[in-house]
Amino acid sequence: MSELAPGDQAREFAAAFRSLLDWAHATAPREDNEVSALVCGFLGPDGTRHSVVTRELPPFEHVNLQTAVDAWSAGAGRAVAVHGIAMPPHYGGLTLQQLVAGEVPPRLRLTAPVLTDLPNGPGSSLGCLRLAVLLVTDADGRYVVMISSPAEHQQDLLVEVAGLPVDQAQRVLAELDRLRADLNVYRGHLLDVSLNLMGGVSLSFADPPGVSRDDVVLPATVLARIERHALGVAGHREVLLAAGQHLKRGLLLYGPPGTGKTHTTRYLLGQMTGYTRLVLTGRSLVAVGAVTDLARVLLPAVVVLEDVDLVAEERTLGAASSPVLFDLLDAMDGAAPDADLLFLLTTNRADLLEPALAARPGRVDVAVEIALPDAPARRLLLMLYGRDVPLALTGEDVDLAVERTDGTTASFLKELIRRSVLESLHDDPALTVVTGAHLARALDDLLDAAQAVTRTLLGVGVDPADLPVGGALQPGPAPGARMAYRRAMIRRAMHYGG
Ligand SMILES: Nc1ncnc2c1ncn2[C@@H]1O[C@H](COP(=O)(O)OP(=O)(O)OP(=O)(O)O)[C@@H](O)[C@H]1O
Ligand SMILES: [Mg+2]
């Protein structure tokens, strides 16, 4: 044996070790993993030659995909065997291509299908495959469909097809797309849109709002105008289209906080029972593009964009333009004019929105101001929120309360009744009667508190000493620079918890 220098020995050992690894890799059976073996065995050598075709879907489509797969699996002449897959912890995603190629982590195992239970209607749910392969036999031959739901390293839901020529695989995916749209579980429902931790859209079925027309105190002409624009189309779709009129419409409700923009919206949503109703508010407004795409599949539909000024303000704080606000306007523009699609926007800062809306006309056809309630409206609001309360008010009590609440909001009057009840409970825990004295005490307290908070927060408010006798609440001056913060605080102060 020839002598080698230590460096040469190491090199020789490294080279030998590398060739050992290469040999092991080359000669290892492709299907040494049971999942991979199942897939490759089912497809046969011919099937594994084809490209894997993948469709990426947003996570909220998971329940629709499962619904579609269930219907599709039951199709005539089709046999489908479902196998679950267990992954080693923290493994970074698995694709069907890996299974076909035998490139899989060693601890991948076959299991009973693992299901995620997802809502598929208000009060019902469907077990949805989390990670599974479906071995399919039908008129196209033998092929494999894999479903993998979003996980640690994968934002989207994936459906993959292996074992078919590309055009046939595409047809399978298109058929699943069609079934997802046809059987869509969100169609016709009221849905809250939110963003999950990864920034993806999630949808949840919401309860019917339960606000009747009698619960909405607005001038008759105002409410009628809102109703005509939002609800009036439903009964006349065909006639309108035949007359060349568009159905897509935008309605903006604007006015001070606590006057009933959200309340009116909830009333409308309750009326639009045949519509798919998607409600975006706060952070979820950024999802307007994806949500509008969904709405277009689920017509007739309403997309509610609550407090759109929050997005408009992003522009004033950030760079020269707000991508979110323009996304929003673009999304409104993108839908076809003949779609029965209502965009319902609310804001208490129409002035912030105006430049953007003016620059891109045609998005909002009707803007309706929801103003502070006038004296007759305040009278009605007292009655509305006092209807289940043992009120014993004289005409004079009511007149005085109506007068003193000049400049307040509907939500203020609602709170006034609640406080009057508390005043009465203070005197008599049995709540036998709420009198004018209780009402007056509650009003003293509220006007005082509201005025103090308003003054402190705005830093420019009116001193209570300057108020006219009777303490009519003056709307504060329009807030200036630190507006967003102030607005939030004022809103809280005026709302009293809504
Ligand atoms: N016009 C109204 N008729 C009857 N009740 C109302 C009316 N306006 C407000 N309310 C009551 O006050 C609550 C708060 O009002 P709402 O949330 O609709 O105000 P808003 O105009 O949307 O305010 P914001 O601009 O802060 O969003 C409602 O839930 C409702 O109980
Ligand atoms: Mg609101």
Side-chain angles (χ1 to χ4, degrees):
M1 192 197 243
S2 63
E3 289 292 312
L4 284 175
D8 292 339
Q9 266 180 354
R11 251 190 304 281
E12 192 168 83
F13 174 77
F17 187 68
R18 199 175 313 120
S19 61
L20 175 72
L21 286 180
D22 289 347
W23 172 84
H25 193 74
T27 56
R30 268 157 57 109
E31 53 277 5
D32 64 343
N33 175 275
E34 62 182 17
V35 186
S36 193
L38 178 78
V39 167
C40 295
F42 182 75
L43 293 178
D46 272 359
T48 52
R49 280 186 304 108
H50 296 297
S51 296
V52 174
V53 183
T54 300
R55 174 83 91 235
E56 294 178 6
L57 300 172
F60 62 79
E61 278 299 305
H62 197 177
V63 63
N64 286 322
L65 177 65
Q66 186 63 51
T67 307
V69 164
D70 287 347
W72 179 79
S73 299
R78 180 170 293 128
V80 178
V82 181
H83 297 269
I85 302 172
M87 291 259 273
H90 309 302
Y91 182 73
L94 176 73
T95 64
L96 186 48
Q97 181 59 47
Q98 286 171 293
L99 290 180
V100 170
E103 296 283 345
V104 294
R107 284 157 58 213
L108 202 65
R109 294 283 173 261
L110 288 170
T111 65
V114 180
L115 303 176
T116 306
D117 198 37
L118 294 174
N120 67 344
S124 61
S125 61
L126 180 69
C128 302
L129 292 170
R130 197 186 285 187
L131 180 62
V133 283
L134 284 62
L135 310 184
V136 185
T137 312
D138 66 11
D140 283 335
R142 288 155 76 87
Y143 56 99
V144 175
V145 175
M146 183 163 120
I147 293 173
S148 45
S149 60
E152 219 174 317
H153 303 280
Q154 175 191 315
Q155 285 221 358
D156 285 320
L157 167 70
L158 302 183
V159 204
E160 308 190 80
V161 180
L164 291 178
V166 171
D167 57 338
Q168 279 184 45
Q170 285 172 319
R171 274 205 295 278
V172 169
L173 291 172
E175 175 65 2
L176 288 173
D177 287 348
R178 190 188 61 76
L179 285 166
R180 270 192 306 117
D182 285 356
L183 305 175
N184 201 299
V185 302
Y186 300 124
R187 181 172 285 110
H189 286 291
L190 175 60
L191 299 150
D192 281 332
V193 179
S194 56
L195 296 186
N196 60 29
L197 288 178
M198 293 192 286
V201 175
S202 33
L203 300 175
S204 51
F205 292 92
D207 292 330
V211 177
S212 73
R213 195 174 201 273
D214 292 341
D215 296 330
V216 182
V217 176
L218 288 181
T221 48
V222 172
L223 187 53
R225 195 152 169 249
I226 293 170
E227 287 178 324
R228 194 161 53 241
H229 200 62
L231 313 176
V233 161
H236 309 290
R237 264 180 220 139
E238 275 66 43
V239 184
L240 284 166
L241 287 176
Q245 303 305 308
H246 64 94
L247 300 185
K248 188 182 74 169
R249 56 215 185 278
L251 171 61
L252 172 69
L253 305 181
Y254 69 96
T259 47
K261 298 177 297 294
T262 300
H263 192 60
T264 307
T265 299
R266 287 164 57 77
Y267 157 64
L268 294 174
L269 290 174
Q271 296 301 302
M272 302 179 86
T273 44
Y275 284 68
T276 308
R277 293 150 288 169
L278 297 148
V279 181
L280 289 83
T281 171
R283 229 163 56 87
S284 71
L285 284 168
V286 302
V288 64
V291 170
T292 304
D293 288 346
L294 182 67
R296 277 186 236 170
V297 180
L298 303 177
L299 297 171
V302 192
V303 178
V304 174
L305 305 163
E306 272 265 44
D307 301 316
V308 267
D309 49 292
L310 298 176
V311 184
E313 273 189 350
E314 225 161 74
R315 181 178 58 153
T316 59
L317 294 178
S321 70
S322 155
V324 179
L325 181 63
F326 287 151
D327 269 6
L328 193 148
L329 297 172
D330 285 345
M332 290 174 71
D333 202 39
D338 62 351
D340 184 353
L341 177 56
L342 168 68
F343 288 94
L344 182 48
L345 288 72
T346 73
T347 183
N348 47 42
R349 291 303 310 271
D351 56 317
L352 278 182
L353 238 58
E354 245 179 70
L357 289 173
R360 300 178 163 216
R363 268 70 164 187
V364 170
D365 337 272
V366 173
V368 179
E369 182 178 10
I370 312 284
L372 292 174
D374 60 7
R378 295 200 299 281
R379 195 175 293 274
L380 281 173
L381 284 160
L382 285 176
M383 296 307 121
L384 173 69
Y385 289 111
R387 65 189 161 185
D388 297 326
V389 174
L391 286 180
L393 303 178
T394 64
E396 229 168 80
D397 294 333
V398 177
D399 289 349
L400 187 64
V402 167
E403 195 188 314
R404 292 186 65 194
T405 49
D406 187 22
T408 64
T409 60
S411 55
F412 182 95
L413 286 142
K414 183 182 178 183
E415 177 63 12
L416 174 60
I417 294 290
R418 197 181 73 87
R419 296 278 187 109
S420 306
V421 170
L422 292 177
E423 289 292 338
S424 164
L425 281 175
H426 187 71
D427 290 350
D428 171 12
L431 189 65
T432 44
V433 67
V434 176
T435 65
H438 296 134
L439 188 68
R441 251 161 42 203
L443 198 45
D444 287 345
D445 184 45
L446 267 178
L447 290 179
D448 249 21
Q451 207 55 18
V453 173
T454 308
R455 191 181 62 249
T456 314
L457 291 173
L458 289 176
V460 287
V462 188
D463 194 282
D466 296 334
L467 284 177
V469 183
L473 186 74
Q474 302 302 318
R482 299 196 316 276
M483 195 172 48
Y485 172 71
R486 285 175 179 177
R487 212 156 47 82
M489 299 309 280
I490 295 163
R491 189 187 272 221
R492 208 173 287 168
M494 301 284 283
H495 247 219
Y496 299 102

